[in-house]
């Protein structure tokens, strides 16, 4: 089967590699976003997908706007591809492009559609405290993740999973599901299923204001925000910005998913909920682990933080390095 692959970030790499390593597929070319300048050295850096394509000596097309790029459109028409595979490409495809391949454009999306259509499904499902998510393969249409569904694969979400953990797992699942979907689509073993638009939810691009931590929220809400928008959620500490990159809500539900030392800590604190009327205040310090902070409802353990300009460090190293004491207050992030 002849394939043109559209994709850009690391999330798309496992799917491309699955196609490249399967003799039933021939990847004709890769379409990816233009190289971007990175902060360090301001050098142009290729996307992860381009790096893989280059290593396999594949043609790489990088239009600024694929819908308006006549050269790329002509190349796609001339490719004689059976299918276009699209994984986190980052641009909307026009109906002209969608109608080129014989089997259509097949998208791998990081949610169980129709929930979490849009740019950041993994992040928002964690933010909303979902306990299960998955991958949907679908036939693309002109809408935003509105095409008919082909196959779904699911995976549970553990209490300490963050966006990076979940993305890696879903990317691997997506590669396997895509291969299975293409083969079944070619042999007509799949009947596309229209999505229920009334059940749709959306996962928009994350904005800067989404990263600010407000300690008046509950511990579980803050934890879900921290892991969902990992590693960028911020508070303030002694009037300076501080990223909180890993946390644990000190509650008994779901504690069997936790490492033994954290289960033991939760057991010791099982009678505690709100022990201060001031959200953000440090109410205790767990030896060897980190600070315990009062929230609007319940307590939150800070397992990992990152000071501005520094590497991430464990909550315990932060306590020792900053000489943190009970009674100090973390401020609201922005």
């Amino acid at each position: 089967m002849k394939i043109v692959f559209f994709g850009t970030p690391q999330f798309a790499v496992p799917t491309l590699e699955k196609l490249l390593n399967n003799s039933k597929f021939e990847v004709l070319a890769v379409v990816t976003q233009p190289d971007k300048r990175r902060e360090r050295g301001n050098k142009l850096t290729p996307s992860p997908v381009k790096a893989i394509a280059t290593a396999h000596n594949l043609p790489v097309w990088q239009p600024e706007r694929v819908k308006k790029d006549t050269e790329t459109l002509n190349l796609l028409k001339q490719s004689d591809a059976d299918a276009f595979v699209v994984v986190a490409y980052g641009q909307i495809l026009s109906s002209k492009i969608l109608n080129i391949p014989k089997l259509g454009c097949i998208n791998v999306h990081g949610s169980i559609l129709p929930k979490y259509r849009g740019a950041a499904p993994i992040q928002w499902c964690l933010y909303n405290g979902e306990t299960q998510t998955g991958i949907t393969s679908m036939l693309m249409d002109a809408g935003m993740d509105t095409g008919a569904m082909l196959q779904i694969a699911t995976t549970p979400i553990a209490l300490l999973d963050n966006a990076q953990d979940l993305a890696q797992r879903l990317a691997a699942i997506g590669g396997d599901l895509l291969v299975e979907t293409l083969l079944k689509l070619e042999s007509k073993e799949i009947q596309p299923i229209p999505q229920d638009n009334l059940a749709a939810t959306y996962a928009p691009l994350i904005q800067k204001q989404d990263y600010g931590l407000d300690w008046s929220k509950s511990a579980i809400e803050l934890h879900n925000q921290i892991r969902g928008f990992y590693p960028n959620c911020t508070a303030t500490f002694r009037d300076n910005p501080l990223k909180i990159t890993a946390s644990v809500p000190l509650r008994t539900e779901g504690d069997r998913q936790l490492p033994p030392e954290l289960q033991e800590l939760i057991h010791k604190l099982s009678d505690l909920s709100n022990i201060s009327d001031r959200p953000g205040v440090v109410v205790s310090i767990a030896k060897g682990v980190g600070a315990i902070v009062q929230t609007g409802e319940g307590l939150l353990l800070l397992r990992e933080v990152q000071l501005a300009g520094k590497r991430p460090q464990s909550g315990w190293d932060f306590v020792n390095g900053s000489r943190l004491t009970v009674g100090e207050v973390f401020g609201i992030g922005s």
Side-chain angles (χ1 to χ4, degrees):
M1 189 186 302
K2 295 178 180 179
I3 304 291
V4 173
F5 187 88
F6 293 69
T8 299
Q10 182 61 38
F11 182 78
V13 167
T15 302
L16 176 57
E17 290 179 329
K18 287 285 183 180
L19 293 172
L20 291 170
N21 293 328
N22 191 314
S23 61
K24 294 180 181 179
F25 303 103
E26 179 186 359
V27 180
L28 304 172
V30 164
V31 186
T32 190
Q33 295 272 47
D35 296 357
K36 291 188 176 180
R37 295 193 181 277
R38 304 298 177 185
E39 292 180 10
R40 293 184 179 179
N42 202 31
K43 292 182 179 179
L44 280 173
T45 305
S47 72
V49 163
K50 181 181 178 180
I52 296 297
T54 302
H56 285 81
N57 298 312
L58 293 172
V60 177
W61 307 331
Q62 296 179 273
E64 289 283 349
R65 298 187 65 189
V66 69
K67 290 196 296 184
K68 296 185 177 294
D69 193 287
T70 305
E71 181 182 356
T72 302
L73 183 60
N74 288 333
L75 288 168
L76 290 170
K77 288 177 179 177
Q78 295 163 15
S79 69
D80 194 34
D82 296 300
F84 294 167
V85 170
V86 184
V87 187
Y89 170 50
Q91 294 189 39
I92 302 226
L93 304 187
S94 66
S95 56
K96 286 183 180 179
I97 295 173
L98 294 174
N99 292 329
I100 292 173
K102 304 175 184 68
L103 295 175
C105 292
I106 317 304
N107 178 236
V108 173
H109 184 73
S111 77
I112 303 172
L113 290 170
K115 293 185 75 172
Y116 300 108
R117 294 173 177 173
I122 295 170
Q123 291 87 340
W124 286 106
C125 86
L126 286 166
Y127 178 87
N128 289 327
E130 301 282 2
T131 57
Q132 178 179 262
T133 188
I135 290 285
T136 304
S137 59
M138 67 173 175
L139 278 172
M140 295 177 68
D141 61 16
M144 173 67 76
D145 301 323
T146 56
M149 299 179 293
L150 297 169
Q151 288 190 288
I152 292 173
T154 63
T155 186
I157 300 174
L159 183 63
L160 297 188
D161 281 341
N162 64 30
Q164 184 179 75
D165 301 327
L166 194 53
Q168 290 175 348
R169 193 156 75 245
L170 287 173
I173 293 170
D176 290 330
L177 188 69
L178 184 276
V179 168
E180 182 182 335
T181 296
L182 287 174
L183 295 176
K184 287 186 175 181
L185 194 62
E186 184 183 41
S187 61
K188 296 183 170 56
E189 295 179 57
I190 296 179
Q191 182 64 41
I193 302 171
Q195 293 187 43
D196 180 0
N197 291 327
L198 295 178
T201 62
Y202 292 88
L205 282 170
I206 300 164
Q207 306 296 323
K208 184 179 178 181
Q209 60 265 28
D210 294 321
Y211 296 134
L213 296 173
D214 181 349
W215 299 101
S216 66
K217 292 182 179 180
S218 70
I220 188 62
E221 287 175 320
L222 288 164
H223 173 68
N224 288 337
Q225 182 181 0
I226 289 164
R227 67 192 184 128
F229 301 153
Y230 173 88
N232 295 311
C233 286
T234 58
T236 57
F237 175 68
R238 297 174 185 169
D239 297 323
N240 292 309
L242 177 73
K243 286 185 177 180
I244 311 294
T245 50
S247 60
V248 182
L250 296 185
R251 56 176 199 173
T252 55
E253 311 97 276
D255 64 351
R256 291 180 181 178
Q257 303 173 10
L258 301 177
E261 66 274 15
L262 293 180
Q263 290 187 37
E264 183 180 350
L265 176 61
I266 286 178
H267 180 72
K268 288 179 180 177
L269 300 171
S270 59
D271 294 332
L272 299 181
S273 178
N274 284 25
I275 59 177
S276 171
D277 58 3
R278 186 176 183 184
V281 68
V282 178
V283 296
S284 183
I285 293 174
K287 187 175 181 181
V289 187
I292 298 172
V293 181
Q294 178 69 60
T295 72
E297 181 182 344
L299 304 175
L300 190 69
L301 172 66
L302 308 187
R303 292 180 63 222
E304 185 182 84
V305 304
Q306 184 175 5
L307 292 159
K310 303 291 185 181
R311 294 179 180 275
Q313 60 182 157
S314 71
W316 183 240
D317 286 344
F318 172 69
V319 166
N320 288 327
S322 63
R323 299 178 184 270
L324 183 70
T325 59
V326 170
E328 289 202 69
V329 180
F330 291 95
I332 293 173
S334 59

